[in-house]
Amino acid sequence: MKYPILYFSTLLLVVILSFSCRLDRHSSDVLKQAEVLLEKHPDSALTLLNKVNSSSLKKYDNARYCLLMTKAFIKNAIPIVSDSLINIAIGYYKDSGDSINKAEAYFYAGRVSQDMHDTKGAMAFFLKALDSAGRDPLD
């Protein structure tokens, strides 16, 4: 070995990259599992979501995480005192072109506003949810 430091550095880089990709896939898999569980077992979904390290997520997965956490809180009847999670989801989905998640984010923002006793804000978000879903509010 003529250049042991170069070989060691290359090996170390390969190992680090393989583990970092694996962690992203793991978090993505946990989000998928939580999404499936939310309808029938919201308490289990919340337990899974609490295990996710949200600071290491990519923007897309972080938006999903924030939306899923908000849904999990609501479905578990946990009072919501801040709109910071759902605002992260709205911030991502409003310009993403993903009309389904955008509509869902606005709907849950309305639910959060209801929990925070902001009726006017809740109505505005519900109307945005309808508009994002392509529905006329008067239908």
Side-chain angles (χ1 to χ4, degrees):
M1 288 197 161
K2 193 172 182 180
Y3 302 102
I5 294 175
L6 179 64
Y7 290 120
F8 178 73
S9 299
T10 304
L11 179 63
L12 185 62
L13 181 64
V14 168
V15 169
I16 289 171
L17 287 175
S18 67
F19 277 111
S20 68
C21 292
R22 200 170 128 210
L23 289 174
D24 285 345
R25 257 184 278 139
H26 174 71
S27 294
S28 218
D29 291 343
V30 170
L31 293 177
K32 286 177 189 173
Q33 287 176 320
E35 198 164 14
V36 169
L37 287 172
L38 258 172
E39 292 307 313
K40 295 192 180 198
H41 306 286
D43 54 333
S44 299
L46 185 58
T47 301
L48 270 178
L49 290 168
N50 280 325
K51 293 179 182 178
V52 173
N53 179 6
S54 62
S55 64
S56 68
L57 296 175
K58 294 178 182 175
K59 283 186 177 186
Y60 169 77
D61 282 335
N62 191 44
R64 272 181 69 206
Y65 168 79
C66 291
L67 180 56
L68 293 173
M69 276 299 276
T70 303
K71 287 171 68 171
F73 284 142
I74 289 170
K75 290 185 178 282
N76 282 292
I78 297 171
I80 298 175
V81 295
S82 171
D83 59 358
S84 59
L85 277 176
I86 196 62
N87 282 340
I88 292 169
I90 287 173
Y92 178 82
Y93 290 122
K94 73 177 179 181
D95 297 322
S96 72
D98 183 347
S99 60
I100 293 171
N101 282 325
K102 178 179 172 182
E104 194 171 31
Y106 282 132
F107 172 78
Y108 280 100
R111 294 290 308 273
V112 168
S113 293
Q114 279 181 323
D115 276 8
M116 295 172 60
H117 306 290
D118 178 11
T119 308
K120 193 182 258 187
M123 288 303 294
F125 281 123
F126 290 141
L127 289 171
K128 283 183 179 183
L130 277 172
D131 186 48
S132 297
R135 304 258 335 255
D136 186 345
L138 300 176
D139 281 345

